[in-house]
Each structure stands twice: as structure tokens, then as C-alpha cells.
Amino acid sequence: MKKMDRILLRFSEENVEEPITAQVILELGIPIRIVTATIDSHGGDILVEVPAVHVEEIVKAFRDKGVVVTFPKLIDVDCDKCFDCGACYALCPVDAISFDEDYSVVFDEKTCIGSPCGLCVNACPARAIRLVEQHSRNQK
Ligand code: SF4
Ligand code: SF4
């Protein structure tokens, strides 16, 4: 499976009306998957997933068009510490946390939005969840 990186695109009031994401996709011919978008006429954020081999050129293309680009941290769950209490479950805004048939807690890392959120991290009484840099987690 193709390795993907996540990048957070921050649009300002000045550039939010421009079709910048579509322009970058057309110019580079590289697919970009939108994970979440919190945006209105005053600006906002779009979290996207891009092929890791193309991340540098994609970041440059957005920055050249005035978009602020950052690399969000992603969650890393220590299953040995988790005792399936469910305290994290109700907080997740994107339903990335669920219960398995045996009532163990399961994290869907593809749905989790990472450091723009991080609500589950502080909620965990066992300190089982951390936010880590993408590349340190990808190397595991
Ligand atoms: S960081 Fe946020 S989105 Fe990700 S699992 Fe935790 S609560 Fe859900
Ligand atoms: S809050 Fe922590 S211990 Fe409780 S289910 Fe979530 S990860 Fe596991």
C-alpha cells in the first residue's frame, strides 16, 4: 500500500475563496484525499492525506499560493496501558474510536485527525495515548 502523509492546510480570509486545492491537484496531477475540513468565508483548515513520495512538491505548491502548511501529529496508542474504560470514546468528534465485539476499544487511525484534535489524549486516565510526529510513527 502506498505510504501517505497528512498535512494541514490553513487558509486565510484573503485566499479562502480561491480554488487553490483544485489548482494544486490539476497542476501536479497528484491525488489529494481530504480527511476533514473546517472552513468558512473567513478562512479555516483542511486536513489532507497525500502520497508520501510527493509530499515536498505538494507542500511547496500550497505555500507558493499563500497557504500555511503544517504537519499534524498523529495518535499512538499503547495497548498494554489501555484498559478499555471508554473515557476517550464519547469525546471523539469524528467517530474514530469504537468498541469491538469483545468490548475492547479500537482506534481507526485513518479517520483520526490527530493534533488538530487530541481530545482523547488528556481524557485517558491510563495515559495510553500520545501524539507523535508522523515520521517517528511511520518508522515503527
Ligand atoms: S485525536 Fe481526536 S480524532 Fe483522533 S482519536 Fe482522539 S479524539 Fe478522535
Ligand atoms: S481512555 Fe485510555 S484507557 Fe480508556 S479506553 Fe481510551 S485509551 Fe483505553
Side-chain angles (χ1 to χ4, degrees), residues 3 23 27 30-31 34 38 45 50 62 66 68 74 98 106 122-124 126 132:
K3 205 171 119 203
Q23 283 169 0
E27 279 171 20
I30 299 168
I34 294 176
T38 314
D45 295 341
V50 301
F62 277 107
V68 176
L74 303 180
S98 60
V106 181
N122 291 330
C124 177
V132 297

Side-chain angles (χ1 to χ4, degrees), residues 75 88 91-97 107-108 111-115 117-121 129 131:
I75 53 162
C88 53
L91 294 174
C92 183
V94 292
D95 294 333
I97 307 172
F107 286 79
D108 176 358
T111 305
C112 166
I113 55 180
S115 58
C117 170
L119 286 172
C120 58
V121 175
I129 315 166
L131 285 167

Side-chain angles (χ1 to χ4, degrees), residues 7-21:
I7 56 175
L8 186 67
L9 310 172
R10 180 149 295 165
F11 294 83
S12 66
E13 194 162 0
E14 286 71 45
N15 63 21
V16 72
E17 302 288 346
E18 297 168 33
I20 293 177
T21 307

Side-chain angles (χ1 to χ4, degrees), residues 4 25 37 54 62 75 81 91 99 107 113 120 133-134:
M4 304 292 277
I25 292 170
H54 296 297
F62 277 107
I75 53 162
K81 285 186 180 170
L91 294 174
F99 282 98
F107 286 79
I113 55 180
C120 58
E133 300 290 345
Q134 293 185 48

Side-chain angles (χ1 to χ4, degrees), residues 27-77:
E27 279 171 20
L28 301 180
I30 299 168
I32 293 176
R33 184 176 88 87
I34 294 176
V35 181
T36 57
T38 314
I39 202 156
D40 61 21
S41 59
H42 301 294
D45 295 341
I46 301 181
L47 179 66
V48 300
E49 207 167 54
V50 301
V53 289
H54 296 297
V55 69
E56 283 180 22
E57 55 188 306
I58 293 171
V59 168
K60 182 176 182 310
F62 277 107
R63 285 182 176 157
D64 286 350
K65 295 181 191 312
V67 178
V68 176
V69 184
T70 55
F71 290 81
K73 292 181 178 178
L74 303 180
I75 53 162
D76 184 53
V77 183

